[in-house]
Amino acid sequence: MSSRGQVQSSGGGAFRGARPGERFSGPPGPLKVAGSLAFAILLLLAVVAGSLTGLMLVYSVNLPQIADLERYRPETTTELLDVHGRVFGSFALQRRVEVNYEDFPPVLRHAVISIEDKNFESHWGVNLVRVLGAAYHDLVSNSRNQGASTLTMQLARNLFLSSERTFGRKLQEVFLSIQIERSFTKQQIFTLYANQIYLGQGVYGFEAGSEYYFSKRARDLTLPEAALLAGLPKAPVGYSPISNPTRAFRRRNTVINAMLEDGVITAAEANAAKTAPLGLHIEPPPNSVAPWFVEAVRRDLERQFGSEQVHEAGLRVYTTLDLDLQRAADAAVLDGLAAYERHRKWQGHLLNVIDAGASLDEFHHPDWVEAPIPGAYMHALVTSVLPFQVNVRLGQRQAILGPDDFAWTGQRDAQKFLKPGDIVYVRIQPSADSNLLLHATLEQDSGAQGALLAIDNASGEVRAMVGGRDFELSQFNRATQAERQAGSAFKPYVYAAAVESGMGPQDRILDAPVTFSTPSGPYTPRNFDNTYEGTVSLIHAFADSRNIPAVKLAERVGIRKVIETARGFGIVTDIPPVLGVALGSADVTLQEQVSAYTSFPNDGVRIAPHLIRKVTNSDGFTLSEVPSSVAESTDVRTARIMTQFLESVLQPGGTAAAAGALKHPLGGKTGTTSNYVDAWFIGFSPSITCGTWVGYDDRQSLGDGETGALAALPIWMDLMKVAIADRPDETFSGQAAPRLKMSQAASLPSGSPQAEAPPMPPPAKRAPAKLAKDGPSPVANR
């Protein structure tokens, strides 16, 4: 045996039995172990890094570019401004007002940061401690309900991501937040957040929230108000001060405590703020002022720009409305209708919610979206009745009525005509303490409607519009959409046709019974009072609204000439060629009438009515300017002579003599239709023309004696008092010398030089065979 095969290690049997050619295998050294461990760690890190990279690729592939945020423009509100630059209406899918960082007061910024993100000023978009803590909570509770979002993360989520609670969406939120923090300053991030965060009730951003909940700018917020708003983003519905005031109160105080912990307020300030009431002063519903005007503007804008741009692009619409005149118009119509209802006496016929199967607590009337302020007319719910006291509810407010408040009904005992559950119509009266019970007077809503339209003569701009009694109950615009018989308010076109044919105010005409032969048979018109005055001047016949002279004039000049004249004044509704048209049997709109009447004080020129002056985008760039559409209704001579006719109506002896009390250059015409169905007054000053109408939608009678002078003229007078208040020295064109008053003309002897006039021309030639059938003679035209 070879001696090499017998060699053994003195250290043991590690090599025992080793065969030639076999690889030696010994224990690994320390370096080898460390190397293996390092390799494993590197491999793990590579796997993690690869996984993270993969996740970033997966979840960032559809992320918006940060440049999108630089160009971000939130949906903003389109605002409507009156002629004095005052905002009175808006259109928006979201109620939002964008402001700058400086417009958010420190108290609000501190409140938001204390409750939502204490480390906002120092972190880089993500608070790892909060994120890991929330993840651990979600893991052990097997849920995903624990929030950990910074303001930056909330901004990223609200602007670009969905609200789903998944780990993938959270990763996207983190990636976006880091990008936002690298691209924007803290002030810019806070401003973006504060302008878009949702605060409930369709309100976005703290400026809009301040205006909605407290009717003030954000910069004017107090500590408790700022704390209330800062507490809303977490749960706008759950902490709503409107639907959940108790929870809102507690949440507000939680915010105050957080501010105290952060040292941004003192203990004394915190204690005072926590005991303060919520102090809500809810902003009135949008477009509650001039709602019919606002709706007409919306339709015009959507036809021109489309619905999306109108409601999302933040346009500024410079309208023709005068807010002061509009408020006067609203009050005039409601007061006028209340006066008319009292003429009729108490009608009763009240709806009762208990009889309808509802409870007193559950009932809510559409009127109650607006606050019950003094002067407002609203429907109320009777909750209890005593002989000399009625308690009513208007939303959350209570009001009382005493015997003097319903004395006009003829009843002194309320229990004889009212009961709990009745829906009544009341007018809110001034009260010494608005926080206590309201004081109201009983009114009546029998369904009668009213409308008013006021147009600037020189520009055609609509200054005021009222389309009915209550927009919440009926959006139908009776100022522009309702076609009603005009009654004697149509007669100016008859007289204008006669003046164009050469007649004048002092021409004489016989006011006597007459029957006209028409293709459909005899036509016998009658005067309003069924009396006849014999030979009178045209101006007297016009001022007293005599029917026989008007039909005779129409027969002389030709009914087709009358229709042609009316068309020239802008009347576009269908006018049948029958003699009854001379007394206003044709249907017209109030807007047509008011626009036509502007021609008289405007020397025969008519400018088409319009609602908008200019539209700009949110940057002030002009998108549209409305040009004036001018037409000549008649010649200057006819317009000035007709102004004399129309002035005579408001002078002693005229049907609107009551308006003489305004002691101002004014003209106009009353109108009343058969059976007192429609009451009109259309009148003007040198600067403005206004028309009023009163009637029922179903064309029932207003009641005996309810003429234009009684039902419509008082509304017109109330509006015109405001319209002429700052124009004491205005006069009509060509009025250098005193005009002959109607009463003077009527008293002049027939031989007087002023009373003599060229003889009336012979009747115009026409084709009687083409006349359409005359309808019933309107006998109440006055």
Side-chain angles (χ1 to χ4, degrees):
M1 177 180 293
S2 167
S3 61
R4 179 179 301 176
Q6 298 175 351
V7 175
Q8 292 187 0
S9 170
S10 61
F15 294 102
R16 186 178 297 119
R19 298 175 183 175
E22 284 187 340
R23 190 171 181 180
F24 174 73
S25 176
L31 291 177
K32 237 180 179 182
V33 172
S36 299
L37 182 61
F39 176 77
I41 292 173
L42 288 174
L43 181 62
L44 180 62
L45 289 174
V47 171
V48 172
S51 300
L52 289 175
T53 303
L55 286 172
M56 289 182 66
L57 288 174
V58 170
Y59 288 108
S60 65
V61 66
N62 293 321
L63 282 180
Q65 298 299 311
I66 203 65
D68 294 340
L69 185 56
E70 295 173 358
R71 297 188 297 268
Y72 172 70
R73 296 296 297 271
E75 295 177 7
T76 51
T77 301
T78 290
E79 293 183 331
L80 277 58
L81 293 81
D82 84 333
V83 291
H84 302 294
R86 296 170 292 187
V87 176
F88 67 91
S90 63
F91 305 122
L93 299 179
Q94 301 176 353
R95 189 194 299 252
R96 186 197 304 271
V97 182
E98 277 194 277
V99 294
N100 298 320
Y101 179 81
E102 296 76 16
D103 295 308
F104 298 113
V107 66
L108 178 62
R109 299 199 298 265
H110 291 321
V112 173
I113 291 172
S114 291
I115 196 65
E116 289 292 331
D117 189 359
K118 292 180 181 295
N119 299 315
F120 172 70
E121 297 293 346
S122 59
H123 65 60
W124 39 273
V126 180
N127 189 325
L128 284 178
V129 175
R130 291 181 66 187
V131 168
L132 293 175
Y136 175 77
H137 178 278
D138 291 346
L139 183 64
V140 299
S141 63
N142 195 29
S143 68
R144 296 189 178 96
N145 294 322
Q146 187 73 5
S149 296
T150 63
L151 290 187
T152 314
M153 294 171 71
Q154 292 181 50
L155 177 64
R157 178 175 67 246
N158 293 336
L159 290 182
F160 299 120
L161 304 175
S162 69
S163 59
E164 63 177 341
R165 292 179 176 272
T166 64
F167 290 115
R169 199 271 296 156
K170 181 63 76 172
L171 276 175
Q172 290 180 317
E173 189 177 301
V174 169
F175 298 151
L176 268 177
S177 299
I178 295 172
Q179 292 183 58
I180 290 173
E181 288 280 347
R182 292 177 59 189
S183 302
F184 295 91
T185 67
K186 290 292 186 179
Q187 288 189 2
Q188 290 173 324
I189 293 171
F190 185 90
T191 302
L192 286 166
Y193 171 86
N195 275 326
Q196 62 79 40
I197 193 67
Y198 182 58
L199 301 176
Q201 306 298 320
V203 174
Y204 290 79
F206 288 113
E207 178 68 20
S210 178
E211 292 180 4
Y212 176 75
Y213 289 108
F214 300 110
S215 295
K216 63 169 63 174
R217 299 292 301 273
R219 63 190 178 204
D220 299 321
L221 288 170
T222 64
L223 170 57
E225 292 167 346
L228 176 66
L229 294 181
L232 289 175
K234 183 177 181 180
V237 176
Y239 294 131
S240 168
I242 296 175
S243 56
N244 294 300
T246 302
R247 294 190 67 193
F249 186 87
R250 292 172 181 166
R251 175 64 174 172
R252 183 203 68 179
N253 287 356
T254 299
V255 175
I256 295 171
N257 287 333
M259 296 174 72
L260 178 61
E261 291 173 3
D262 291 345
V264 294
I265 59 174
T266 65
E269 289 173 327
N271 291 333
K274 286 192 290 185
T275 57
L278 292 180
L280 298 181
H281 188 191
I282 302 299
E283 185 181 43
N287 308 329
S288 58
V289 177
W292 286 278
F293 183 95
V294 171
E295 176 62 14
V297 168
R298 182 191 64 79
R299 293 179 180 179
D300 283 355
L301 291 173
E302 289 188 354
R303 279 194 292 268
Q304 186 174 2
F305 299 105
S307 177
E308 182 176 341
Q309 189 169 6
V310 170
H311 290 86
E312 299 178 14
L315 306 179
R316 286 179 70 82
V317 184
Y318 297 86
T319 75
T320 64
L321 189 86
D322 184 322
L323 194 53
D324 297 325
L325 207 59
Q326 179 64 44
R327 290 188 175 117
D330 292 336
V333 170
L334 292 175
D335 289 346
L337 290 174
Y340 159 73
E341 296 281 8
R342 293 193 178 201
H343 296 163
R344 298 198 70 192
K345 304 301 182 185
W346 180 251
Q347 302 294 309
H349 313 300
L350 300 175
L351 295 176
N352 188 282
V353 301
I354 296 176
D355 293 344
S359 71
L360 296 181
D361 293 334
E362 295 173 352
F363 179 76
H364 183 86
H365 196 277
D367 280 0
W368 298 347
V369 297
E370 297 187 35
I373 60 175
Y377 290 83
M378 306 180 72
H379 290 85
L381 179 66
V382 176
T383 55
S384 64
V385 183
L386 299 173
F388 305 113
Q389 180 176 309
V390 180
N391 295 315
V392 300
R393 180 169 68 85
L394 303 99
Q396 301 298 318
R397 300 296 302 275
Q398 304 290 327
I400 58 172
L401 292 77
D404 292 341
D405 300 320
F406 52 81
W408 67 271
T409 64
Q411 299 283 349
R412 299 295 296 178
D413 185 346
Q415 290 180 324
K416 292 184 177 180
F417 70 105
L418 294 174
K419 63 180 181 179
D422 284 342
I423 302 174
V424 295
Y425 193 58
V426 300
R427 185 177 190 271
I428 308 301
Q429 299 296 330
S431 176
D433 189 342
S434 59
N435 293 320
L436 299 178
L437 288 174
L438 297 170
H439 176 211
T441 54
L442 182 65
E443 303 295 341
Q444 182 168 240
D445 180 3
S446 66
Q449 294 289 343
L452 181 151
L453 189 70
I455 298 177
D456 182 82
N457 296 335
S459 63
E461 295 182 341
V462 174
R463 293 285 184 252
M465 176 189 290
V466 181
R469 185 196 286 259
D470 190 333
F471 186 80
E472 294 297 328
L473 299 180
S474 172
Q475 289 77 51
F476 181 64
N477 192 337
R478 295 156 190 85
T480 61
Q481 297 174 300
E483 296 184 357
R484 308 290 294 224
Q485 286 191 344
S488 290
F490 191 88
K491 288 177 181 176
Y493 314 125
V494 178
Y495 279 76
V499 172
E500 289 175 349
S501 300
M503 304 180 200
Q506 308 316 318
D507 283 336
R508 318 295 282 184
I509 193 168
L510 181 64
D511 177 24
V514 64
T515 297
F516 297 92
S517 178
T518 71
S520 59
Y523 172 56
T524 305
R526 291 176 292 173
N527 287 325
F528 172 81
D529 57 5
N530 286 317
T531 66
Y532 305 93
E533 296 184 350
T535 301
V536 296
S537 66
L538 291 187
I539 196 169
H540 172 81
F542 184 85
D544 198 35
S545 203
R546 313 300 292 175
N547 288 341
I548 303 300
V551 179
K552 283 188 173 182
L553 287 177
E555 199 269 342
R556 281 289 182 94
V557 302
I559 193 62
R560 295 189 183 277
K561 166 63 176 173
V562 171
I563 295 173
E564 178 186 339
T565 300
R567 294 283 185 233
F569 277 87
I571 304 301
V572 298
T573 48
D574 183 55
I575 306 176
V578 297
L579 283 177
V581 164
L583 304 182
S585 61
D587 287 347
V588 295
T589 67
L590 180 61
Q591 178 173 280
E592 286 178 299
Q593 286 286 76
V594 176
S595 177
Y597 273 52
T598 63
S599 305
F600 299 122
N602 223 28
D603 276 348
V605 175
R606 176 175 49 84
I607 303 174
H610 53 281
L611 312 175
I612 300 171
R613 287 179 170 179
K614 181 176 70 172
V615 180
T616 70
N617 63 15
S618 56
D619 295 321
F621 179 79
T622 298
L623 303 178
S624 172
E625 284 192 86
V626 180
S628 298
S629 176
V630 182
E632 185 179 43
S633 300
T634 189
D635 58 83
V636 174
R637 172 185 171 274
T638 299
R640 293 187 178 182
I641 291 175
M642 284 306 303
T643 298
Q644 293 182 47
F645 275 104
L646 290 153
E647 283 183 283
S648 70
V649 175
L650 283 71
Q651 294 169 359
T655 56
L662 297 179
K663 300 187 184 303
H664 194 85
L666 300 168
K669 188 70 188 75
T670 53
T672 313
T673 60
S674 295
N675 198 32
Y676 304 99
V677 170
D678 300 276
W680 299 78
F681 189 80
I682 319 291
F684 52 80
S685 70
S687 56
I688 195 165
T689 298
C690 174
T692 56
W693 167 87
V694 176
Y696 286 89
D697 289 339
D698 61 3
R699 299 181 187 264
Q700 67 174 280
S701 174
L702 289 166
D704 289 346
E706 294 294 341
T707 63
L710 184 61
L713 177 62
I715 299 174
W716 182 87
M717 291 175 61
D718 284 350
L719 187 281
M720 292 302 290
K721 288 174 186 176
V722 178
I724 65 177
D726 60 347
R727 301 172 183 268
D729 301 322
E730 63 179 353
T731 59
F732 290 118
S733 300
Q735 205 175 57
R739 306 228 178 168
L740 186 67
K741 293 184 178 181
M742 183 274 291
S743 57
Q744 293 173 318
S747 63
L748 288 174
S750 59
S752 168
Q754 286 182 297
E756 294 298 325
M760 294 176 66
K765 293 183 179 180
R766 61 191 186 285
K770 295 183 180 180
L771 291 176
K773 181 178 179 180
D774 279 88
S777 169
V779 297
N781 302 73
R782 191 175 180 85

